[in-house]
Amino acid sequence: MTWTDRVPAFTSLGPGDRTALEELAVMDLPRGAIVFRPGDSVQGYALVLSGRIDVSLTGATGREIMLYSVAPGQSCIQTTLGLLAGDDYSAEAVASVETELVLVPRALFLSLVDRSGAFRALVFAAFADRMQTMMQLLEKVAFQKVETRLAERLLALSSEEDNIRITHADLAGQVGSAREVVSRRLESWARSGWVSVGRGTITVQDRAALSALANDGL
């Protein structure tokens, strides 16, 4: 079994194209590894096999917001645009958990997009899905209360690990708010027994309460 067998969409690729991809090595990234930074040139198309990569943008004021996460089967808008348009990265990507990925070099990526309808369909279907995610992010930041976004994010993170290992600053970036605002909300929820807050960790204690709050903006 090769790594291409772990990508269901690759079953429709021609044998020659799959062979070219199978020669690429699988990269193991530890939690916290930097995948790219603003100003870096795009070297290739990243295919995430396991784990998750968080892509965030930092403004001139130093305030950070998480744009999206790349999980298996998903794509990175920054990477796709960079490969097709030649732009450098403007955001930062970090492996939020241990992650396996394969980097398809620029030349091979462009060659496959040009000659393989199946690969082209995979790339643009993933790109369209990611654009939809970005539109949902804009809608949430513009119209949802920060409490709703924070509750929704905590529920999502707690589905991956019981004790969420994250700083208030990082969590604020993920929900598009300021660290002070997030800290005040967490302190209030801790007093209500909805969460418990430790040094660098948050544990959800009352999922029903947070779910009700997360659904408040729907």
Side-chain angles (χ1 to χ4, degrees):
M1 180 176 179
T2 68
W3 71 262
T4 59
D5 295 316
R6 299 166 62 182
V7 184
F10 280 0
T11 57
S12 57
L13 290 180
D17 293 335
R18 286 195 64 166
T19 298
L21 290 168
E22 287 167 358
E23 293 177 355
L24 303 175
V26 177
M27 303 168 59
D28 295 310
L29 302 181
R31 179 181 182 133
I34 304 295
V35 182
F36 57 76
R37 290 187 173 92
D40 288 349
S41 61
V42 182
Q43 300 300 316
Y45 188 75
L47 292 165
V48 176
L49 302 180
S50 67
R52 189 180 74 241
I53 294 172
D54 291 340
V55 181
S56 60
L57 187 66
T58 302
T61 61
R63 182 172 169 180
E64 182 182 27
I65 182 171
M66 191 178 80
L67 300 176
Y68 51 85
S69 294
V70 184
Q74 297 178 331
S75 70
C76 173
I77 285 180
Q78 287 260 311
T79 297
T80 306
L81 288 177
L83 289 169
L84 296 177
D87 295 332
D88 292 336
Y89 287 113
S90 59
E92 180 177 78
V94 179
S96 56
V97 295
E98 292 184 359
T99 299
E100 291 180 294
L101 67 79
V102 173
L103 189 68
V104 182
R106 178 192 292 268
L108 178 57
F109 170 83
L110 294 175
S111 176
L112 287 171
V113 167
D114 182 58
R115 71 172 187 261
S116 172
F119 187 82
R120 187 165 56 248
L122 163 68
V123 169
F124 285 104
F127 184 79
D129 180 69
R130 179 56 67 206
M131 284 298 297
Q132 181 64 31
T133 302
M134 290 293 293
M135 293 301 295
Q136 293 171 353
L137 171 65
L138 290 174
E139 181 181 0
K140 288 180 180 180
V141 172
F143 302 115
Q144 279 189 351
K145 296 181 296 185
V146 64
E147 292 90 344
T148 299
R149 303 198 304 271
L150 180 57
E152 184 180 75
R153 188 58 185 161
L154 285 176
L155 289 170
L157 291 172
S158 66
S159 68
E160 300 175 1
E161 53 184 350
D162 293 332
N163 295 316
I164 306 167
R165 292 181 290 170
I166 192 169
T167 66
H168 291 191
D170 287 342
L171 185 57
Q174 293 186 12
V175 300
S177 186
R179 181 189 60 78
E180 296 79 7
V181 173
V182 166
S183 294
R184 286 197 297 269
R185 297 299 188 279
L186 290 174
E187 290 170 5
S188 175
W189 293 355
R191 289 194 297 269
S192 299
W194 295 3
V195 301
S196 61
V197 180
R199 187 175 182 83
T201 63
I202 302 169
T203 304
V204 172
Q205 303 288 358
D206 191 337
R207 295 188 66 85
L210 291 183
S211 295
L213 189 54
N215 292 326
D216 184 54
L218 300 180

